[in-house]
Amino acid sequence: MTTRGSERTRRLINDSLLPGSIAPAPELVTDATRDRRLLGALQMNDAGRIPPRALPDALARVGLRAHDVRLAESMHRLAQFPHDAALSSEEMIQVIRPNASLIERALRGSLVVPDFSSFCDEVREIHEETRMNHSGKVADYIPQLARVSPDRYGISLCTVDGQQYSVGDTTIDFSVQSCTKPINYCIALEEHDEAAFHRHVGREPSGRGFNELSLNRDNKPHNPMINAGAIATCSLIRANDSVADRFDHVMDQWAKLAGNQRAGFSNAVYLSERQSADRNFALGYFMKEKGVFPAGTDLVSTLEFYFQCCSIESSCERMAVVAATLADGGVCPTTGIRVLRPSTVRACLSLMYSCGMYDFSGEFAFSIGLPAKSGVSGALMVVVPNVMGICIWSPPLDPLGNSVRGIEFCKSLVSRFNFHNYDDLGGSLRHKRDPRRRREDLRVDAVTSLCWAASQGDLRGIQNLVARGVDLNMADYDGRTGLHLAASEGHVAVVQAFVGRGVDINPRDRWGNTPLDDAFRGAHGGVITVLEQAGARPGGASSD
Ligand code: GLN
């Protein structure tokens, strides 16, 4: 059943989906029209029915994977049909409903990189071109790194909407090495505020080698992205816990950042790192003498903790999701769960931008214009804020310690697409392409997405919006809130979620109606009970 208010909201939502920059004349788009548009993106057979595979295939074309947890309910419904079945339109709509917001955005081409397959074609092309570059030298200070084939080369990317693409050796694990530094910095910042943390570690580029025996003028390590700063950072993570619990904590964070995929650990790398760590021990003792560590720090176990963190293993696929979580301000795109505070990510990206690429950091910021962090295993994590995370892995390093192909890839990417931090200044840079949706569209999305998810009963979609900091009290131009829509459509679980999050329980729409009025009008007993228990009141408006 549809009330007049929610019909208006549907019209608003549908209007905002129409292409073109000029506002279209108001058009009443019914549910049926909307559903037809949605299904139009799916392959139908001659009889107008839809094979089950059509849905995962269409989602795969825009980079969404069938095992994505954000699609779990719909994929579960789809699995109830035999694979050679042919679904009616109504059956397919029922399949889509529980994850309607994400699926609809995907099918109507409004994920952050709408033309995902063309973008990926270019990434594949760059991979192919840069694969031919055989210069550089694999790190050989420990045998475990020296043994890795220089031909290994993988690139994975994940957008802030969880669109994923991989080419090359993207499922093989490598030790993350210095890529642990930004992650540990984030972990420490979640525990200490910025000022407290930076009493121990500075935030200026050092202009020196990553393991050089030097501190800044205040006798602190220059920043958390070089060895001295990273060792000091380790001393600030759960300092009062056992070493085992501290390491578990770091591993848990890696897993959450990677969309609940466990990180690996190489004991052999750890043992080798510890054995060849004279410089890191020297840095440790130097910092101890200068009073860098908090009182009570055990230096040897702090260093061991640091070597363990360098020996964490990831693959390109998993690390791209980690980078995407940074790109999305701390919300993991593939789970929709907030892992880090936006302020933490802001601090981390700032330091990756200025200090993440060893002695090439200034040059990288100048020519590539993106926050990044490289590791001696040949890993390179790059963040395109608000768009995507990228991981490139290719072991041969240039003399400054960065992956040769990694840098080549970034140069080529930024020559084609306007990803450099300052490419948006316009003018002469117009020849570069912009693969992302415009920001204005994303703003319109917030209120329409909220209203649409609420009217569809898409709880996961709402949780996702909450994780992104969307205000659940937002209303459309008719004053209709998500709670009005969920109440008028009888979605008890969604109403409970809104109530549980403390939204205004009695907002009035432009006709003076509250959500309770909507629930009564639709005779939704369950919703009425939840609302009344939470103290909802009728609005007492004239019914229309
Ligand atoms: N394990 C290495 C070290 O601490 C990591 C350095 C790196 O990746 N640059 O020396």
Side-chain angles (χ1 to χ4, degrees), residues 141 177-178 181 210 227 273 280 306 310 358 375-376:
Y141 70 97
Q177 295 290 350
S178 281
K181 288 168 178 154
F210 70 95
N227 283 19
E273 286 287 343
N280 285 325
Y306 168 72
C310 291
Y358 309 122
V376 76

mmCIF file of all heavy atoms in Angstrom, residues 141 177-178 181 210 227 273 280 306 310 358 375-376, ligand 1:
data_model
loop_
_atom_site.group_PDB
_atom_site.id
_atom_site.type_symbol
_atom_site.label_atom_id
_atom_site.label_comp_id
_atom_site.label_asym_id
_atom_site.label_seq_id
_atom_site.Cartn_x
_atom_site.Cartn_y
_atom_site.Cartn_z
ATOM 1 N N TYR A 141 68.141 -8.122 1.542
ATOM 2 C CA TYR A 141 68.735 -8.093 2.883
ATOM 3 C C TYR A 141 68.281 -9.259 3.745
ATOM 4 O O TYR A 141 68.884 -9.556 4.772
ATOM 5 C CB TYR A 141 68.483 -6.745 3.587
ATOM 6 C CG TYR A 141 67.040 -6.515 4.000
ATOM 7 C CD1 TYR A 141 66.611 -6.791 5.294
ATOM 8 C CD2 TYR A 141 66.110 -6.045 3.096
ATOM 9 C CE1 TYR A 141 65.295 -6.597 5.676
ATOM 10 C CE2 TYR A 141 64.792 -5.848 3.463
ATOM 11 C CZ TYR A 141 64.386 -6.128 4.748
ATOM 12 O OH TYR A 141 63.081 -5.953 5.106
ATOM 13 N N GLN A 177 55.606 -5.354 5.026
ATOM 14 C CA GLN A 177 56.764 -4.499 5.329
ATOM 15 C C GLN A 177 56.328 -3.087 5.721
ATOM 16 O O GLN A 177 55.485 -2.939 6.578
ATOM 17 C CB GLN A 177 57.746 -4.528 4.155
ATOM 18 C CG GLN A 177 58.351 -5.911 3.937
ATOM 19 C CD GLN A 177 59.327 -6.323 5.050
ATOM 20 O OE1 GLN A 177 59.696 -5.522 5.900
ATOM 21 N NE2 GLN A 177 59.720 -7.588 5.075
ATOM 22 N N SER A 178 56.849 -2.070 5.041
ATOM 23 C CA SER A 178 56.562 -0.710 5.516
ATOM 24 C C SER A 178 55.109 -0.290 5.324
ATOM 25 O O SER A 178 54.705 0.751 5.851
ATOM 26 C CB SER A 178 57.477 0.297 4.833
ATOM 27 O OG SER A 178 58.733 0.270 5.461
ATOM 28 N N LYS A 181 53.204 0.597 8.345
ATOM 29 C CA LYS A 181 53.403 1.851 9.087
ATOM 30 C C LYS A 181 52.153 2.732 9.127
ATOM 31 O O LYS A 181 51.751 3.174 10.208
ATOM 32 C CB LYS A 181 54.621 2.598 8.535
ATOM 33 C CG LYS A 181 55.922 1.884 8.929
ATOM 34 C CD LYS A 181 57.147 2.378 8.191
ATOM 35 C CE LYS A 181 58.385 1.638 8.706
ATOM 36 N NZ LYS A 181 59.474 1.541 7.772
ATOM 37 N N PHE A 210 65.010 6.003 5.038
ATOM 38 C CA PHE A 210 63.931 5.550 5.925
ATOM 39 C C PHE A 210 64.443 4.937 7.223
ATOM 40 O O PHE A 210 63.726 4.843 8.202
ATOM 41 C CB PHE A 210 63.025 4.554 5.206
ATOM 42 C CG PHE A 210 63.664 3.211 4.938
ATOM 43 C CD1 PHE A 210 63.477 2.151 5.815
ATOM 44 C CD2 PHE A 210 64.432 3.010 3.812
ATOM 45 C CE1 PHE A 210 64.059 0.918 5.575
ATOM 46 C CE2 PHE A 210 65.022 1.780 3.573
ATOM 47 C CZ PHE A 210 64.841 0.733 4.444
ATOM 48 N N ASN A 227 61.318 4.251 9.754
ATOM 49 C CA ASN A 227 61.496 3.207 10.771
ATOM 50 C C ASN A 227 61.447 3.726 12.203
ATOM 51 O O ASN A 227 60.746 3.163 13.043
ATOM 52 C CB ASN A 227 62.815 2.473 10.540
ATOM 53 C CG ASN A 227 62.691 1.495 9.392
ATOM 54 O OD1 ASN A 227 61.777 1.618 8.576
ATOM 55 N ND2 ASN A 227 63.596 0.534 9.310
ATOM 56 N N GLU A 273 63.954 -10.894 9.829
ATOM 57 C CA GLU A 273 63.971 -9.455 10.142
ATOM 58 C C GLU A 273 64.680 -9.221 11.473
ATOM 59 O O GLU A 273 65.515 -8.326 11.609
ATOM 60 C CB GLU A 273 62.534 -8.911 10.253
ATOM 61 C CG GLU A 273 61.796 -8.749 8.931
ATOM 62 C CD GLU A 273 62.293 -7.582 8.099
ATOM 63 O OE1 GLU A 273 62.981 -6.700 8.651
ATOM 64 O OE2 GLU A 273 62.020 -7.564 6.893
ATOM 65 N N ASN A 280 67.792 -1.260 13.213
ATOM 66 C CA ASN A 280 66.573 -0.973 13.966
ATOM 67 C C ASN A 280 66.834 -1.009 15.479
ATOM 68 O O ASN A 280 66.265 -0.217 16.233
ATOM 69 C CB ASN A 280 65.453 -1.945 13.566
ATOM 70 C CG ASN A 280 64.880 -1.600 12.199
ATOM 71 O OD1 ASN A 280 64.783 -0.419 11.838
ATOM 72 N ND2 ASN A 280 64.523 -2.605 11.408
ATOM 73 N N TYR A 306 57.399 -4.606 16.277
ATOM 74 C CA TYR A 306 57.567 -3.920 14.987
ATOM 75 C C TYR A 306 57.937 -4.922 13.874
ATOM 76 O O TYR A 306 57.358 -4.899 12.784
ATOM 77 C CB TYR A 306 58.629 -2.815 15.117
ATOM 78 C CG TYR A 306 59.081 -2.259 13.783
ATOM 79 C CD1 TYR A 306 58.249 -1.444 13.015
ATOM 80 C CD2 TYR A 306 60.342 -2.576 13.266
ATOM 81 C CE1 TYR A 306 58.652 -0.967 11.780
ATOM 82 C CE2 TYR A 306 60.756 -2.095 12.031
ATOM 83 C CZ TYR A 306 59.906 -1.294 11.289
ATOM 84 O OH TYR A 306 60.308 -0.837 10.064
ATOM 85 N N CYS A 310 55.861 -5.920 10.389
ATOM 86 C CA CYS A 310 56.418 -5.915 9.027
ATOM 87 C C CYS A 310 56.211 -7.270 8.345
ATOM 88 O O CYS A 310 56.195 -7.362 7.116
ATOM 89 C CB CYS A 310 57.928 -5.636 9.058
ATOM 90 S SG CYS A 310 58.345 -3.969 9.563
ATOM 91 N N TYR A 358 59.391 7.164 0.955
ATOM 92 C CA TYR A 358 60.817 7.328 1.261
ATOM 93 C C TYR A 358 61.322 8.673 0.723
ATOM 94 O O TYR A 358 60.608 9.667 0.771
ATOM 95 C CB TYR A 358 61.645 6.165 0.677
ATOM 96 C CG TYR A 358 61.124 4.800 1.030
ATOM 97 C CD1 TYR A 358 60.759 3.896 0.048
ATOM 98 C CD2 TYR A 358 60.992 4.401 2.362
ATOM 99 C CE1 TYR A 358 60.293 2.628 0.378
ATOM 100 C CE2 TYR A 358 60.527 3.142 2.689
ATOM 101 C CZ TYR A 358 60.172 2.270 1.697
ATOM 102 O OH TYR A 358 59.708 1.036 2.016
ATOM 103 N N GLY A 375 56.461 -0.492 0.397
ATOM 104 C CA GLY A 375 57.195 -1.391 1.287
ATOM 105 C C GLY A 375 58.294 -2.081 0.501
ATOM 106 O O GLY A 375 58.227 -2.176 -0.736
ATOM 107 N N VAL A 376 59.286 -2.587 1.247
ATOM 108 C CA VAL A 376 60.476 -3.133 0.616
ATOM 109 C C VAL A 376 60.190 -4.463 -0.103
ATOM 110 O O VAL A 376 60.987 -4.927 -0.921
ATOM 111 C CB VAL A 376 61.573 -3.247 1.713
ATOM 112 C CG1 VAL A 376 61.321 -4.422 2.630
ATOM 113 C CG2 VAL A 376 62.955 -3.249 1.141
HETATM 114 N N1 GLN B 1 61.476 -4.559 7.731
HETATM 115 C C1 GLN B 1 62.021 -3.424 7.094
HETATM 116 C C2 GLN B 1 62.802 -2.584 8.074
HETATM 117 O O1 GLN B 1 62.307 -2.261 9.124
HETATM 118 C C3 GLN B 1 60.893 -2.666 6.496
HETATM 119 C C4 GLN B 1 61.372 -1.505 5.788
HETATM 120 C C5 GLN B 1 60.679 -1.193 4.524
HETATM 121 O O2 GLN B 1 59.732 -1.801 4.017
HETATM 122 N N2 GLN B 1 61.182 -0.163 3.958
HETATM 123 O O3 GLN B 1 63.927 -2.223 7.838
#
